Amino acid sequence: MTARARIATGLRALRRRLRHDRRGTALMEFAFTLPLVLTVGGWGTELAWLAITNLRISQLALNLADTASRVGASGSNGVTQLREADINDTFTGIRLSSGTMALGANGRVILSSLENTKQSYDTDYTQRIHWQRCFGMKSGTGYDSSYGTAPPAAGTDATQANAGTTTTTGMGDAGFKVMAPQNSSVMFVEINYRFQPLFGSLFVAPRIIHYSASLLVRDNRDFTQVYNPTDSAVTRSTCDRYTA
């Protein structure tokens, strides 16, 4: 047999072996499907992370509204006085609850006291944002309150000069406005958080997640002002300050 014939015979034998060899099929299929699997998997993971973050922000807003509706120091005749320290404590709790989300660095939290009261300077019951307290580094459109503001000094004493902002329509989105009942108050919370995707903007673009929550004050609260006793005075978390 000539050399050429031997080569031809060897090639035919090799071709027969390759035609029946299936050992690399799975590897080839995996190589072809890997980009699709990674894309679908990454997209699903990112959507799950977005859903979890939305749920956590919603729960934090509700938790803050619930806590703020209960805090205060017992005063005379069973009337509870809300103090600046109480508000700061509720903010500390929400910071700790947010964990690794870094809520203060990546968002803005606004707590408003929407009241329907007749103060000493009022002639009738008045719906107003009596005071607001905030924390968070983010500012500007999408982060600061979307439903009304009150001056930093509002509620710091019982004078008309610091009475806050009158609102006849309450607070909240159109069609879902919240108003305080007569001689009571609603703790209205807004949280605006900058969502950080796991894979940059590859699957989901960064966005602001917004949630609000409100609850009626649960006790017989003194609505004249937010107290800050001299012997335990703290820095007020007014909304002109941007701190984490």
Side-chain angles (χ1 to χ4, degrees):
M1 181 181 293
T2 64
R4 179 177 297 180
R6 287 197 298 271
I7 291 173
T9 300
L11 289 175
R12 284 194 296 271
L14 176 62
R15 185 174 58 191
R16 286 195 298 271
R17 289 197 301 273
L18 290 177
R19 185 166 57 241
H20 297 289
D21 193 342
R22 297 290 185 267
R23 288 174 296 178
T25 303
L27 181 61
M28 291 296 293
E29 291 175 347
F30 180 74
F32 282 121
T33 59
L34 181 60
L36 177 61
V37 171
L38 289 177
T39 300
V40 173
W43 184 63
T45 301
E46 196 71 275
L47 288 181
W49 176 237
L50 177 59
I52 290 170
T53 304
N54 271 275
L55 178 61
R56 292 181 67 184
I57 295 298
S58 173
Q59 290 176 331
L60 288 171
L62 185 59
N63 184 38
L64 179 56
D66 181 48
T67 305
S69 71
R70 299 171 184 267
V71 297
S74 297
S76 59
N77 300 321
V79 177
T80 301
Q81 291 183 347
L82 181 65
R83 303 165 301 177
E84 298 289 353
D86 299 321
I87 297 173
N88 288 351
D89 286 346
T90 65
F91 283 168
T92 298
I94 212 72
R95 286 187 183 97
L96 294 175
S97 298
S98 67
T100 57
M101 295 178 68
L103 185 60
N106 296 318
R108 184 73 168 163
V109 178
I110 304 107
L111 172 64
S112 305
S113 181
L114 179 64
E115 302 175 10
N116 185 3
T117 58
K118 185 177 181 181
Q119 302 286 359
S120 60
Y121 43 79
D122 292 324
T123 57
D124 201 355
Y125 283 92
T126 303
Q127 189 94 203
R128 58 165 59 93
I129 304 173
H130 193 188
W131 53 264
Q132 281 183 327
R133 298 293 182 267
C134 304
F135 79 88
M137 298 291 291
K138 295 296 185 180
S139 63
T141 304
Y143 292 106
D144 292 321
S145 178
S146 305
Y147 306 125
T149 59
T156 56
D157 60 32
T159 66
Q160 188 172 11
N162 294 321
T165 304
T166 301
T167 172
T168 58
T169 59
M171 301 181 72
D173 293 315
F176 299 93
K177 295 278 189 178
V178 174
M179 298 186 72
Q182 195 174 97
N183 204 33
S184 188
S185 171
V186 169
M187 293 289 99
F188 191 94
V189 174
E190 302 167 66
I191 298 183
N192 299 303
Y193 178 77
R194 180 70 172 177
F195 173 68
Q196 305 295 318
L198 297 173
F199 304 104
S201 56
L202 183 60
F203 300 108
V204 176
R207 64 190 64 191
I208 298 175
I209 295 177
H210 167 81
Y211 276 95
S212 61
S214 59
L215 280 173
L216 285 170
V217 169
R218 310 295 182 85
D219 51 23
N220 184 20
R221 181 174 291 180
D222 179 351
F223 296 119
T224 57
Q225 67 178 96
V226 181
Y227 291 86
N228 199 13
T230 303
D231 60 345
S232 58
V234 299
T235 300
R236 295 184 175 94
S237 299
T238 52
C239 294
D240 57 339
R241 304 175 69 243
Y242 291 85
T243 58

